[in-house]
Amino acid sequence: MPERRTVALVTLGCARNEVDSEELAGRLEADGWQLVEDAEDADVAVVNTCGFVEAAKKDSVDALLEANDLKGHGRTQAVVAVGCMAERYGKELAEALPEADGVLGFDDYTNISDRLQTILNGGIHAAHTPRDRRKLLPISPAERQSAGAGVALPGHGAPEGLPEDLPEGLAPESGPRAPLRRRLGGSPVASVKLASGCDRRCSFCAIPSFRGSFISRRPSDVLGETRWLAEQGVKEVMLVSENNTSYGKDLGDIRLLETLLPELAEVDGIERVRVSYLQPAEMRPGLIDVLTSTPKIAPYFDLSFQHSAPDVLRAMRRFGDTDRFLELLDTIRAKAPQAGVRSNFIVGFPGETEADLAELERFLTGARLDAIGVFGYSDEEGTEAATYGHKLDEDVVAARLARVSRLAEELVAQRAEERVGETVHVLVESIDDDEGAVGRAEHQAPETDGQVLFTSGEGLTVGRMVEAKVVGTEGVDLVAEPLPGSLVCTEEAGR
């Protein structure tokens, strides 16, 4: 019997990319590939790249070069780029980075096995010429579902031409449009793609051009995948997309998320549902109510503020101001005082004045955010902001980035201290000899926010939901003591 072909997936970037990698893993395993964890043990190393900002693109190139270094020293014979950077640059990336044996776009995902086999055999699959993927779907959201059948949407499409007897652990099998998926880790947390693309036209962001216009997954597909994940031992699902607050607008119901969330919370085995990527300008009273009052739905608000000075926000093609944003936070906390809120901010945007920066600092000081990401502005090719005048000098941007980052670090540490004495529901995610037991409370999302460090791991197991009292802090992280009888039942895991 011939030796099985082996493949390793290296994933960079956001949770959306992680979902895409698991879809690729499912397609490859269904076609007979053996998945391995380390690139050095694989015939083909597939690097799922990020193309969002310069730092992420550099990390992606570094990962490709690192994988390329394995060739000739072990099993690795080919290195292939997929993901956002590969989709965004295509042929240009292939020419600039000959170390990559293939550069595959989203249109190649349904035929990923054949593409990798061609490359492994020494053949060449020509990289695509990038195009604006917003033009692949109708302008009208109502027409997109019917038109989307012929458009590659990672995390959406139905697997085609698959064998009837799939390896154990693949699926989900419910729903004709459900993507094939294979989990690449044993974490009790998994992301579920709610939608893809974005219709917003923020002047600094290139994502819509290579991810396309917004299109929702059907509720039945989201539910089917969540049920399957629960069967795989997942306890928390995080709904991801470029903009979750737009979910359902192309399905004829902009309030569809408010209906879907309670259904997801009722899936057997799921202890917590978290929603990410929310637009402040699109927050609805009904959505706030569901997020703050539904058992097992985390009162967690990942709000994309980006700035709070009105002139800067208008230049960004966004809406709001400091006072309106603070009013939104007051509304949320009036309904759920322990609600978690995080956001990202850009400083040094073209035309940003000292008064604008002071306005942002006023907002940050009053917002009591649990996690804050701060980024210095840099031109992103193909965006409107890249054409703006009134650019700030790099040293000015760097100084403002350092200034606001210091403030943010102080503020999130203060917010963590405010939680001392609170009782929190924590999902245990890891237990080891060095770090002890570690988990996350409702106000903490994976990777981006802080975590909970338990004073004792006795009796705890990974995947268990524990009730604990916060007794201290370490920066943004909380130190918590498990309470007696702290296994949280389904009803207790709610408010």
Side-chain angles (χ1 to χ4, degrees), residues 61 78 97 152 159 211 246 278 281 378 418 490:
V61 170
L97 196 70
R211 276 290 183 178
S246 284
L278 301 169
S378 61
E418 290 179 17
T490 299

Side-chain angles (χ1 to χ4, degrees), residues 57-78:
K57 287 183 277 189
K58 182 181 182 303
D59 288 344
S60 296
V61 170
D62 289 346
L64 288 164
L65 293 175
E66 183 178 340
N68 181 70
D69 290 341
L70 297 173
K71 291 191 293 187
H73 300 286
R75 180 161 184 155
T76 309
Q77 301 173 52

Side-chain angles (χ1 to χ4, degrees), residues 15 79 130 151 156 171 173 203 208 263 278 281 316 392 488:
V79 176
V151 177
H156 289 241
E173 298 177 359
S203 62
E263 294 184 69
L278 301 169
M316 289 179 169
L392 304 183
V488 180

